[in-house]
Amino acid sequence: MKSFDIATILSLPELPQYLEQVEAQLQKVLTPDDPMMRTALQRMLRSGGKRLRAALVMAAGGQRKSGSQLVAAGAAVELLHLGSLIHDDIIDDALVRRGAPAVNAKEGTACAILSGDYALALACKEATEVSAAAGSLMAATIMTLCEGEAKELADVHRPDRSLASLDVAMHGKTAALMATACQLGGMVGGYDKPIIVALGTFGQHFGMAFQHADDLLDFISTAALLGKPVGNDVQEGVYTLPVIVALQGKYGNEVRQLLARKSLADSLPELRALLQRAGAFEQSLQVIRSHVAEAHNALSALTDARHLALADLPNAYIEWAMNNLVAPEYRATLQL
């Protein structure tokens, strides 16, 4: 499978070196005095991740970015992401994160809460290295993440979940942090407010496309292709875009009957077939591509070459994901 080369797409040959600096900063600051917290946080850090949000910071910084502040901003968004993942694992009672034991599973819930809080506090501290406004933005983003998670929990096992409600949750859980990464990059670059707002709008729509694509792949990919289990969300009562689209269509009653079964694991192939018959996968891809278009349009009037390259990233990512991560039996359905 061809890897997704974000440095080439963004015309940022210096991106790997920058991400190494961000990684070094994360290693430096994630060192609480408590040995259990330190072990847990360092394990989560070593488990990897694409560092996509830090890459967005650099690209949004454009041609006017500043070195030390750029590293601090990249570390801030990755720390926020890390803290939110640790807290998500507590809520989901997860056992594994990125192939490593989840903190709540290995060190316990109390350590996980404290470790997640520690990472979030560090995120705000790193952001203040950019400016007071950046620190305030980071704190506001944490609040939004909490609201998004709360909204998702309120809709668990609700077949009447609306697309509007889904968007609110997705904004809080994923898109808001990508928007913040882009805005922080703009702040580091010293751009005027209209450009920073445009970068935030781009990040918001890219985040929505990214999460919708992830949710779609949860139905039409495989564990081997994704490197993680598939079908977990719907089994836990989290109804994402393909399910909601099908619930609102002519096969809605059949979908409801399947979702009402006590054990959905054995019915996943039946559910996938029903969603496919309902056209839910194609409609979901249309929504994804509409967010891709909105993301591109948000930066179309900017003049910095780095920002114009950034505008092409969502489409490049979605096309890569659809061409490399979709199981063969669904490729004809999506006309790939």
Side-chain angles (χ1 to χ4, degrees):
M1 178 175 64
K2 182 181 178 182
S3 62
F4 185 66
D5 186 357
I6 188 170
T8 298
I9 291 166
L10 293 176
S11 300
L12 288 174
E14 67 271 39
L15 180 61
Q17 182 181 5
Y18 164 68
L19 293 180
E20 287 179 7
Q21 293 176 307
V22 170
E23 205 70 26
Q25 182 67 6
L26 292 172
Q27 292 280 357
K28 177 182 176 181
V29 299
L30 276 174
T31 54
D33 291 336
D34 179 75
M36 184 180 291
M37 286 175 56
R38 186 167 61 251
T39 298
L41 287 166
Q42 288 293 323
R43 183 178 70 255
M44 291 297 98
L45 193 57
R46 289 193 304 271
S47 67
K50 304 178 186 69
R51 303 292 183 247
L52 171 60
R53 292 149 191 85
L56 290 176
V57 170
M58 184 180 192
Q63 296 172 328
R64 297 159 52 182
K65 55 188 181 295
S66 171
S68 61
Q69 285 190 332
L70 195 71
V71 172
V77 295
E78 292 297 341
L79 285 165
L80 198 162
H81 185 49
L82 176 64
S84 69
L85 292 179
I86 293 172
H87 284 167
D88 282 351
D89 288 342
I90 299 169
I91 294 169
D92 298 338
D93 200 22
L95 299 177
V96 177
R97 167 65 66 177
R98 293 172 179 163
V103 180
N104 54 289
K106 187 173 178 64
E107 285 84 9
T109 301
C111 181
I113 292 171
L114 295 172
S115 298
D117 288 350
Y118 191 89
L120 295 178
L122 274 175
C124 291
K125 185 174 184 295
E126 287 294 304
T128 59
E129 296 296 320
V130 177
S131 67
S136 179
L137 173 62
M138 188 61 59
T141 305
I142 294 171
M143 293 166 60
T144 301
L145 288 172
C146 293
E147 291 170 349
E149 183 64 44
K151 184 61 178 172
E152 180 155 290
L153 289 172
D155 285 339
V156 168
H157 290 295
R158 287 191 58 177
D160 61 341
R161 187 183 197 186
S162 67
L163 290 173
S165 180
L166 173 66
D167 281 352
V168 170
M170 287 182 59
H171 164 68
K173 286 176 63 67
T174 302
L177 181 50
M178 287 198 176
T180 293
C182 294
Q183 289 174 288
L184 282 177
M187 290 177 176
V188 171
Y191 289 97
D192 294 336
K193 185 175 180 179
I195 293 179
I196 293 174
V197 170
L199 288 165
T201 300
F202 163 85
Q204 164 71 20
H205 284 291
F206 181 30
M208 296 294 283
F210 184 91
Q211 188 59 56
H212 277 316
D214 193 60
D215 293 339
L216 175 59
L217 290 168
D218 199 43
F219 287 102
I220 63 173
S221 187
T222 65
L225 286 171
L226 287 182
K228 63 180 181 179
V230 295
N232 281 355
D233 280 348
V234 71
Q235 292 182 69
E236 294 169 359
V238 179
Y239 302 148
T240 54
L241 183 60
V243 175
I244 295 174
V245 166
L247 281 167
Q248 295 179 354
K250 66 178 182 178
Y251 295 103
N253 288 334
E254 294 176 56
V255 176
R256 283 184 182 82
Q257 291 172 11
L258 273 179
L259 297 177
R261 293 181 182 177
K262 289 184 178 180
S263 177
L264 193 55
D266 295 335
S267 303
L268 280 176
E270 188 178 351
L271 177 61
R272 288 191 184 96
L274 185 55
L275 297 183
Q276 187 175 20
R277 191 160 69 249
F281 300 149
E282 302 100 298
Q283 291 180 59
S284 295
L285 186 55
Q286 289 174 10
V287 172
I288 292 166
R289 286 179 169 152
S290 71
H291 281 294
V292 165
E294 291 288 348
H296 186 276
N297 291 341
L299 302 185
S300 61
L302 303 191
T303 58
D304 192 308
R306 292 283 173 82
H307 292 159
L308 296 177
L310 183 61
D312 293 329
L313 176 62
N315 184 64
Y317 173 75
I318 296 303
E319 293 308 308
W320 171 84
M322 293 300 108
N323 284 304
N324 289 276
L325 302 178
V326 174
E329 59 266 34
Y330 297 109
R331 296 184 60 80
T333 297
L334 296 177
Q335 299 181 349
L336 298 175

